[in-house]
Amino acid sequence: MEGMSLPARVERLRRIAFFQNLPFAVVADLAVRLRHERYRQGEVVFVEGSLGDSLYFIESGQVKISTGSGSQERVLNYLGPGNFFGEMAVLLKQRRMATVTVVIDADLWVLRKADLESLLEKYPAVALQITEELSRRLTDTIRQPVKEDIYTPVAVFGDEPWVLAEALKRLTGERVALLDMSGSNLIQHSRYLPVELVIDSISPRATAQEVTEKMSLLAGTHDRVLVWLPPEGFEACVKAAQLCEAIVFIDAPAYGWVNQFAFKPTWHITQTLVEIERVARHLAHRVVGLALSSGGARGLAHVGVLKVLKREGIPIDMVAGTSAGALFGGLFAAGRSIETIEDFALNFHKQLSVWNLLDLAVPPRTGLIRGQRFLKYLRELYQDVVFEQLEIPFYAVAADVLTGEEIVLDKGSVADAVRASTSIVGILMPHRLDNRYLVDGGAVNPLPASVLAERGADIIIASRVIPSMEEEKEYRRASRSSGQMDLISLVSNFQSIMEREIIQHRQSCVDVMITPKVAAYRPTDYRPAAELIRLGEEATERVLSAVRAQLSPRISGVGVKL
């Protein structure tokens, strides 16, 4: 900016919202004092705790204001053109209270502390302008104290990107803009689109600077920006893809020039509403995970849970299951219809005999049942499917009986994973898999919600069929019976006691807990399947409003964030 005439500097500053209403004399004085700096995406302007002696005004681009780092990072705000930052350290003579990172290439104007103090004394209008902006930000912070660190802007390749934009808008309730760089003149035909969106356009042959400015302006007025790119790798398209934080291919190939951005989160999907809405949940950090607990025959209630969630259109993006939860969760993840899963559950007890699944170990060494017939049955049930072929991600939890480790199975044969996860110690022999001896995952993580949280689930629904001690005691008192007791019942009850204790420390990440009232049913009796499925349905219907509340749009405040 050195060498530019004063009128030209004033004209450029006038394009920044903060200076538009200030008198010419004030802006002219500022133009002499301000220093221009340019930052690229990912660069840090300053870090939390550092000494501060400058105030920054944003001409173009976008910055992220955050505290902490890594998994402890808290995003406080996103600021775009016309905003300023760094004022607190300068005005209050404190260290920087947050870290500022550039999200979209930014042109900043820097004002030193001494110049700011002189201007505030000379021009009270500047102090008033700063005070009004700080008041607005305080209101925004009260409304939304911590912003979501979301994927935006997003590059989109393929046809009809407005379907994804509309899905995001419907999911989040936020302001979504679509920037057309495809050269198709979409803005001319926007009135014919089946959705209502803010659409802007720029030529794919524009300059990199023009694209940066256009994207930063949209970032300043919208919560999310989708950029529709053509197959050709023009300079402007490469720059736009560089500035985007994620990439989505909708029935489109991965073009060669895009490979340089392979490190960014990328999705390849078909142009079906189910896949488009699923990727929208990923982009908005609204991924829904379902955790299904262990519990033996009581796990039949999970079928009722699945039945109601499916009927009510509740999306499930990933499933984790332990023991019985793995058995039914695997079928759901494999795309089996609810009718098929229910039919299997209703008739499963017929298979539990020495003539069908129960191949007794003679003499018994590590379990009463060898489990080879059961494994063969599972392979037929799952049709030899492997994890990589499942419709949605699925995780089966088992335990290494030699080391006590929690083992999360998500590769290879689903049937082998379920066989391992259901190997109740003392009853079903451990399953050898990848040089490990694996047993029922209930010994380490009976309600695997943490597995989902670690793998990116943002909303976790859990079905727990392990009654509390109070529920068990209340049922026993009411029935006036200690129940039948044999070796299998003894082992099963002991397992339930252990799982009940573990689960107390494993449910903190659950957003909605479904608790079918199954205490009256023995974990070894699969015959009352219809009753248990009904209890699962009733329990799910009781919490449907809470589930829908988790999925409902969260309208953003007026704060500037993508």
Side-chain angles (χ1 to χ4, degrees):
M1 300 303 296
E2 287 72 12
M4 183 179 290
S5 66
L6 181 60
R9 292 170 68 91
V10 170
E11 182 181 353
R12 183 156 180 176
L13 289 176
R14 282 287 193 190
R15 289 186 290 179
I16 302 175
F18 182 87
F19 302 115
Q20 288 175 356
N21 297 321
L22 293 176
F24 178 86
V26 178
V27 180
D29 199 343
L30 279 164
V32 174
R33 301 169 187 264
L34 288 167
R35 185 181 76 256
H36 177 262
E37 292 182 359
R38 175 166 292 174
Y39 290 82
R40 298 295 182 188
Q41 181 187 42
E43 289 187 317
V44 176
V45 181
F46 55 72
V47 297
E48 182 180 3
S50 61
L51 294 172
D53 66 346
S54 299
L55 170 66
Y56 296 79
F57 297 92
I58 306 173
E59 179 182 358
S60 66
Q62 188 185 50
V63 299
K64 176 177 71 175
I65 316 296
S66 64
T67 59
S69 61
S71 61
Q72 301 300 314
E73 183 184 38
R74 297 171 70 250
V75 179
L76 304 177
N77 213 342
Y78 289 86
L79 300 177
N83 278 275
F84 59 86
F85 60 90
E87 72 286 344
M88 299 305 289
V90 174
L91 294 174
L92 302 180
K93 298 179 182 181
Q94 297 177 342
R95 291 182 178 271
R96 300 292 189 189
M97 300 171 65
T99 296
V100 177
T101 307
V102 175
V103 177
I104 296 177
D105 293 1
D107 284 296
L108 306 179
W109 292 87
V110 186
L111 184 64
R112 297 295 182 189
K113 178 182 177 182
D115 291 325
L116 175 62
E117 290 175 346
S118 175
L119 282 166
L120 292 178
E121 183 178 347
K122 189 175 181 180
Y123 304 111
V126 176
L128 179 61
Q129 191 92 340
I130 291 176
T131 301
E132 288 177 351
E133 173 60 19
L134 293 179
S135 176
R136 185 189 67 79
R137 288 190 199 169
L138 178 60
T139 301
D140 293 345
T141 301
I142 293 171
R143 291 180 179 178
Q144 190 176 13
V146 179
K147 306 286 185 181
E148 291 181 289
D149 191 6
I150 54 182
Y151 293 128
T152 186
V154 178
V156 183
F157 295 89
D159 296 329
E160 301 183 0
W162 52 85
V163 179
L164 176 58
E166 174 64 17
L168 270 170
K169 180 181 178 182
R170 187 169 57 252
L171 174 68
T172 64
E174 295 175 335
R175 303 161 296 182
V176 179
L178 178 60
L179 177 59
D180 177 18
M181 292 187 64
S182 68
S184 63
N185 294 318
L186 177 63
I187 197 169
Q188 301 297 325
H189 310 287
S190 60
R191 68 171 67 95
Y192 304 112
L193 294 180
V195 298
E196 291 187 10
L197 287 172
V198 173
I199 298 175
D200 205 340
S201 64
I202 189 171
S203 169
R205 297 181 182 274
T207 66
Q209 182 61 27
E210 288 171 335
V211 168
T212 301
E213 291 178 358
K214 174 70 76 172
M215 290 178 65
S216 69
L217 286 172
L218 285 173
T221 53
H222 294 82
D223 298 293
R224 300 171 188 269
V225 179
L226 270 60
V227 184
W228 186 19
L229 293 172
E232 297 82 14
F234 301 121
E235 176 194 9
C237 300
V238 173
K239 185 61 179 179
Q242 176 195 338
L243 294 176
C244 288
E245 297 181 359
I247 301 172
V248 179
F249 293 91
I250 306 176
D251 272 337
Y255 306 111
W257 66 270
V258 188
N259 290 338
Q260 62 186 299
F261 306 114
F263 60 92
K264 296 177 182 285
T266 302
W267 289 270
H268 295 264
I269 62 173
T270 61
Q271 202 162 13
T272 62
L273 188 59
V274 169
E275 292 200 29
I276 287 173
E277 289 182 339
R278 181 164 293 149
V279 81
R281 289 192 292 275
H282 279 277
L283 293 172
H285 287 315
R286 306 291 290 281
V287 175
V288 182
L290 176 64
L292 302 175
S293 78
S294 53
R298 290 163 169 169
L300 290 162
H302 293 320
V303 178
V305 173
L306 293 169
K307 193 174 177 181
V308 173
L309 293 178
K310 186 72 174 180
R311 184 192 73 206
E312 298 297 323
I314 305 300
I316 303 297
D317 298 306
M318 59 176 71
V319 178
T322 299
S323 197
L327 178 64
F328 297 112
L331 289 171
F332 183 79
R336 301 290 189 275
S337 69
I338 293 299
E339 293 75 20
T340 299
I341 298 173
E342 185 172 19
D343 183 67
F344 159 72
L346 291 170
N347 293 284
F348 184 58
H349 71 277
K350 299 176 183 178
Q351 303 294 327
L352 298 177
S353 73
V354 294
W355 307 112
N356 292 316
L357 297 185
L358 306 184
D359 47 348
L360 299 178
V362 182
R365 293 181 179 174
T366 58
L368 296 176
I369 301 167
R370 293 174 61 240
Q372 292 304 309
R373 288 183 187 173
F374 184 44
L375 178 59
K376 181 181 178 182
Y377 174 74
L378 290 174
R379 286 174 175 167
E380 293 173 357
L381 179 67
Y382 290 101
Q383 299 177 1
D384 288 319
V385 72
V386 295
F387 281 91
E388 293 76 10
Q389 297 172 325
L390 296 176
E391 290 192 2
I392 59 176
F394 169 59
Y395 309 98
V397 177
D400 187 322
V401 73
L402 299 181
T403 66
E405 294 175 82
E406 176 182 339
I407 305 298
V408 179
L409 302 167
D410 60 359
K411 293 180 178 62
S413 166
V414 174
D416 279 82
V418 173
R419 163 67 174 85
S421 184
T422 55
S423 301
I424 300 177
V425 175
I427 298 177
L428 194 59
M429 289 176 61
H431 187 52
R432 187 172 183 180
L433 192 63
D434 297 332
N435 293 319
R436 293 179 182 271
Y437 288 93
L438 302 179
V439 296
D440 194 312
V444 288
N445 195 351
L447 184 67
S450 59
V451 172
L452 297 172
E454 291 163 3
R455 284 156 179 79
D458 305 290
I459 300 169
I460 298 178
I461 304 168
S463 175
R464 168 182 171 167
V465 294
I466 303 169
S468 66
M469 182 181 294
E470 289 71 23
E471 289 173 317
E472 293 277 20
K473 289 165 61 178
E474 182 179 349
Y475 166 70
R476 297 302 170 198
R477 283 196 299 268
S479 65
R480 297 183 180 179
S481 170
S482 60
Q484 299 179 6
M485 184 60 63
D486 52 32
L487 179 58
I488 292 179
S489 297
L490 178 64
V491 172
S492 180
N493 286 350
F494 179 77
Q495 173 105 355
S496 297
I497 293 170
M498 178 177 60
E499 291 170 341
R500 188 165 58 232
E501 292 304 311
I502 296 172
I503 213 170
Q504 299 303 319
H505 309 286
R506 289 283 190 155
Q507 56 187 31
S508 60
C509 55
V510 174
D511 295 293
V512 180
M513 183 72 78
I514 302 171
T515 54
K517 299 183 181 302
V518 296
Y521 298 85
R522 289 186 292 134
T524 56
D525 189 0
Y526 289 83
R527 290 172 298 177
E531 299 167 36
L532 286 162
I533 291 172
R534 176 181 55 80
L535 290 172
E537 292 180 60
E538 293 174 354
T540 309
E541 288 166 349
R542 287 195 295 270
V543 300
L544 273 178
S545 59
V547 172
R548 291 197 178 100
Q550 289 290 327
L551 296 170
S552 62
R554 301 167 186 171
I555 305 298
S556 66
V558 296
V560 182
K561 85 177 174 68
L562 278 179

